[in-house]
Amino acid sequence: MSEGWIDDQLVARGVRDPRVLDAMRRVPRDAFVPAALRPYAYDDRALAIGSGQTISQPYMVAAMTEALGLTGGERVLDVGTGSGYQAADLAELAREVITIERRPELAEAARVTLGALGYRTIDVVVGDGTLGSPAHAPFDAILVAAAAPHVPAPLKQQLSDGGRLVVPVGPSDQQTLHIVTRFGEQFTQTLGVGCVFVPLIGAEGWS
């Protein structure tokens, strides 16, 4: 696969972190999509992966990852494993990734794919991602790859001091990335780019 998509889809839209761009180059996106869709794996769009879920478009993966500001030593929570692609990109940039998926069949498929690719710092767990993973908390960074009606309170509370949460918030047809940073018991929040994700289902998400 030519690396032209990195420049056309990521750099041209403002993704600048060289570590994020290198991670996107290293992770074979085509390994995370159904065989019939592999010719389209690097297209500038989300693709269906089964169970009503999608693999996010490359730009959105890069933009959300860059917003976390990872430097290499972090423990990261990835909410909404899906195919495992986002978790793989995070694993290229952080010390440890806990990725949580509520559908057992998707979790198992992602576990197999990630294992086959040699990722050993990713732990795939099944559960309600809107509640986070208290057993593994706190997290230096949390990324949510589904649209929430609001910023889930349990995820904020599972951030370490100085930790950052990136989550799309809004109705089903249009969301905005919310970037939440924790300072002790205080939280700051900024807004990122507009986006469209599948709904975040769970106790702190949509029913």
Side-chain angles (χ1 to χ4, degrees):
M1 175 68 193
S2 167
E3 288 191 3
W5 68 278
I6 295 283
D7 290 331
D8 295 343
Q9 297 181 39
L10 310 185
V11 178
R13 286 181 177 154
V15 178
R16 294 287 181 264
D17 187 333
R19 295 184 70 246
V20 172
L21 296 173
D22 285 344
M24 298 290 288
R25 289 186 183 97
R26 288 193 297 268
V27 179
R29 183 174 165 89
D30 52 337
F32 294 89
V33 302
L37 296 180
R38 283 176 188 159
Y40 314 103
Y42 295 89
D43 287 2
D44 183 26
R45 56 176 168 142
L47 296 171
I49 58 169
S51 299
Q53 301 301 294
T54 60
I55 179 174
S56 301
Q57 73 179 117
Y59 166 70
M60 193 53 57
V61 172
M64 294 179 75
T65 302
E66 185 175 54
L68 290 176
L70 301 173
T71 60
E74 297 89 355
R75 169 182 281 185
V76 182
L77 177 64
D78 171 46
V79 176
T81 308
S83 68
Y85 178 65
Q86 177 72 75
D89 283 285
L90 293 169
E92 295 282 346
L93 297 162
R95 173 175 57 89
E96 180 183 5
V97 178
I98 308 299
T99 181
I100 186 165
E101 170 58 53
R102 71 185 190 91
R103 295 171 177 80
E105 71 279 7
L106 286 181
E108 181 57 27
R111 189 178 290 115
V112 169
T113 301
L114 292 165
L117 291 172
Y119 286 99
R120 299 290 180 259
T121 60
I122 302 174
D123 187 6
V124 182
V125 298
V126 176
D128 181 351
T130 72
L131 300 177
S133 184
H136 297 94
F139 299 99
D140 305 300
I142 300 176
L143 186 149
V144 182
H150 55 263
V151 178
L155 300 185
K156 291 170 64 176
Q157 292 303 321
Q158 289 174 38
L159 282 174
S160 61
D161 193 8
R164 188 173 292 183
L165 161 67
V166 177
V167 53
V169 176
S172 60
D173 58 340
Q174 180 68 47
Q175 303 99 40
T176 304
L177 289 185
H178 287 232
I179 302 155
V180 179
T181 306
R182 181 172 194 167
F183 299 98
E185 292 306 311
Q186 302 298 314
F187 298 87
T188 64
Q189 185 165 299
T190 58
L191 299 181
V193 298
C195 50
V196 179
F197 278 85
V198 296
L200 178 68
I201 306 299
E204 289 284 333
W206 302 98
S207 60

